[in-house]
Amino acid sequence: MSDAYFLFIGSCNRKTPYFASANGAGVSVYRFGEERLEATKVTEYADIDNPTYLSVSADGNAVYANSEIFGWREGLVTALSFDKTSGALTYLNMQPARGSITAHNVVTRDGKKLMVVNYGMGDGGPDQSLVAFPFTDEDGLYPPNASIRQIGRGTDTARQERSHAHSVVEVSDNLFVVADLGCDTLTSYRLEGDQLLRLSQTRCEPGAGPRHTALHPNGRFLFVLNELNSTCSSFAVDSGSGALTPIGSTKALPDTHGNHCSDIQISPDGRFLYGGNRGHDSISVFKTLDNGEVELLSSVPCGGKTPRNLALSPSGRHLFCANQDSDQISVFERNAETGQLQDTGVSIETGTPTCIKTSAA
C-alpha cells in the first residue's frame, strides 16, 4: 500500500501591499512520500492571480482557488480539475466572488457547494461576506445562489474599522459559522435553498480578532484562533440551532507582544490543536480537555518566517507549515500520544506559500 499523497499549495504571485513578497507560482501540486519524506513536484498552474487560499474536493479531483486581489471590488474563484494519473491541472471555469479580498473557502459536506468568505476592504461593489456557489455536473462553479453581508466594527480602530469575515466552517449539515475578525463575532447561518438564514451570533472578547476555526471531530466544540490578541478560544456547539456557548480562552504564547496568529488545525482524534504564530514565527501546541477547554502545551519554531497556514497529513503523522516569507514549507513529525512536534529538517522550497491542502493519491 502506497504511503504517498498529494499536497496542493496556493501562493501569492501578484504584488500586494500587505505581503512582503509575491514569489509564488500560482497553484502547485506535489506528491509526498511519508516514509522517506520525499516531495516531488507534479505540476503547477500559473495562469491565476494570487490563489492565496484553496480547497480540494473529497475525491481529490477538483481544486477551488480564491484570488485575493488588492484594489479590486470583487475577487475571483477558479475551479480546476486534477487528473491523479497524468498529474494535470485543467481550468474549468471562474466566477466573481461578490466581495473583495476573497479570503477563505470550504467544500460543503454534501459535496454540492463551495462556501466562500470575503474579508472586505473599502466600500462599493457587492460587498458580500459569505457566498454559496453550487457545483456544475463537471465540478465547475455556477454563479452564486445565496449570499449575505455582515456589518459592524470592533475596538481596534486600525484593524476593526468594519466587518472582515475571515473564515467559514460547517458545524453540521448546511449549518455554517463565520469568524469575523473585524466585528469580533461568530455568526451561524443555515443554507436553505437560495437563502442564507442568520441563526445566532456570539461575541468574542473585544479586540480578539477571530480568524480561523477548527471543529472537534465529535462536533460538540469549536476552537477559534484569534489573530489580534493571540489567543485560542473554545465554544460549545448546538448543532441544531447553531448557538455557540463560550467555554474559555488561553494565550497562544506566554508573551504575545508583536504576534499575530494565523491558522489552526486539529488532530484526527481531537486531542490536540496546532496554531501558527506570525511574528513569533512558531507553532503553538494545545491540548483539548474533555469539557472543551484548551491548555497550551508548548510552542516550537516554525522553521521559517511568517507561518500563514498549516496542514496535517491524511494519517496525522506529519504537519506542514507554509512559511510565507521564507519561500518554503517545513515538515514536522507529530507524536500522536503527546501531541508534540519535531522538526524533521525537511522542507519544500516554493515561493510565497499561503495555503496547503492534502489529498489521498
Side-chain angles (χ1 to χ4, degrees):
M1 183 177 178
S2 174
D3 70 316
Y5 46 87
F6 292 112
L7 301 178
F8 296 83
I9 300 166
S11 61
C12 180
N13 61 1
R14 176 177 176 145
K15 288 185 178 180
T16 300
Y18 45 85
F19 286 167
S21 66
N23 302 323
V27 177
S28 304
V29 183
Y30 288 76
R31 188 179 181 92
F32 190 82
E34 193 152 47
E35 291 300 327
R36 296 186 178 182
L37 303 182
E38 292 179 340
T40 304
K41 182 183 285 189
V42 175
T43 190
E44 64 185 29
Y45 184 85
D47 192 18
I48 185 171
D49 289 315
N50 276 7
T52 56
Y53 196 86
L54 51 84
S55 288
V56 179
S57 61
D59 60 11
N61 293 329
V63 181
Y64 302 97
N66 288 353
S67 285
E68 178 181 342
I69 306 171
F70 180 78
W72 285 20
R73 291 179 175 173
E74 285 190 79
L76 299 169
V77 187
T78 301
L80 304 169
S81 67
F82 178 64
D83 188 313
K84 293 181 180 180
T85 302
S86 69
L89 279 171
T90 304
Y91 174 85
L92 293 174
N93 73 337
M94 179 188 295
Q95 295 288 351
R98 295 197 54 75
S100 61
I101 312 299
T102 308
H104 191 265
N105 69 47
V106 65
V107 177
T108 57
R109 294 180 181 185
D110 61 12
K112 294 181 179 179
K113 297 170 289 293
L114 185 75
M115 306 300 292
V116 172
V117 162
N118 294 302
Y119 182 84
M121 276 181 119
D123 298 315
D127 201 14
Q128 298 296 286
S129 303
L130 178 63
V131 187
F133 292 85
F135 292 136
T136 69
D137 291 340
E138 295 76 29
D139 293 329
L141 296 166
Y142 282 119
N145 68 341
S147 65
I148 199 163
R149 182 185 182 190
Q150 297 194 159
I151 299 173
R153 64 182 63 189
T155 58
D156 185 331
T157 56
R159 292 293 311 276
Q160 297 182 308
E161 81 291 355
R162 56 156 289 161
S163 165
H164 292 305
H166 216 309
S167 65
V168 59
V169 60
E170 189 172 8
V171 296
S172 63
D173 292 349
N174 286 315
L175 198 157
F176 305 91
V177 173
V178 173
D180 194 311
L181 181 148
C183 299
D184 284 327
T185 56
L186 301 169
T187 307
S188 302
Y189 297 95
R190 187 176 301 283
L191 181 61
E192 292 188 1
D194 60 357
Q195 284 190 310
L196 279 163
L197 306 177
R198 185 180 281 115
L199 302 181
S200 175
Q201 187 171 89
T202 302
R203 299 209 65 83
C204 302
E205 298 173 27
R211 179 182 172 96
H212 280 193
T213 63
L215 182 67
H216 195 285
N218 65 19
R220 295 170 48 209
F221 305 118
L222 183 68
F223 305 99
V224 182
L225 198 64
N226 299 299
E227 177 176 335
L228 301 184
N229 71 358
S230 293
T231 61
C232 181
S233 303
S234 55
F235 299 82
V237 179
D238 185 320
S239 60
S241 69
L244 302 176
T245 303
I247 296 174
S249 185
T250 188
K251 287 185 177 182
L253 297 164
D255 180 6
T256 60
H257 179 71
N259 187 65
H260 294 85
C261 289
S262 57
D263 191 33
I264 185 171
Q265 297 292 324
I266 191 165
S267 62
D269 60 9
R271 296 173 58 209
F272 302 102
L273 293 163
Y274 303 92
N277 297 304
R278 297 170 297 174
H280 192 258
D281 289 336
S282 65
I283 302 168
S284 291
V285 181
F286 304 91
K287 181 179 180 180
T288 65
L289 306 182
D290 291 343
N291 62 359
E293 292 183 356
V294 172
E295 175 187 339
L296 176 64
L297 297 180
S298 64
S299 64
V300 299
C302 68
K305 290 185 62 178
T306 318
R308 183 182 177 89
N309 194 246
L310 307 173
L312 285 164
S313 65
S315 68
R317 289 175 55 190
H318 293 93
L319 181 136
F320 300 89
C321 178
N323 293 311
Q324 177 179 325
D325 295 330
S326 295
D327 293 336
Q328 53 90 244
I329 293 170
S330 298
V331 183
F332 293 83
E333 185 175 355
R334 193 182 75 88
N335 186 310
E337 292 303 315
T338 67
Q340 298 293 349
L341 299 175
Q342 177 68 45
D343 193 339
T344 64
V346 173
S347 64
I348 302 169
E349 306 304 310
T350 185
T352 318
T354 57
C355 185
I356 312 166
K357 296 292 182 181
T358 64
S359 179

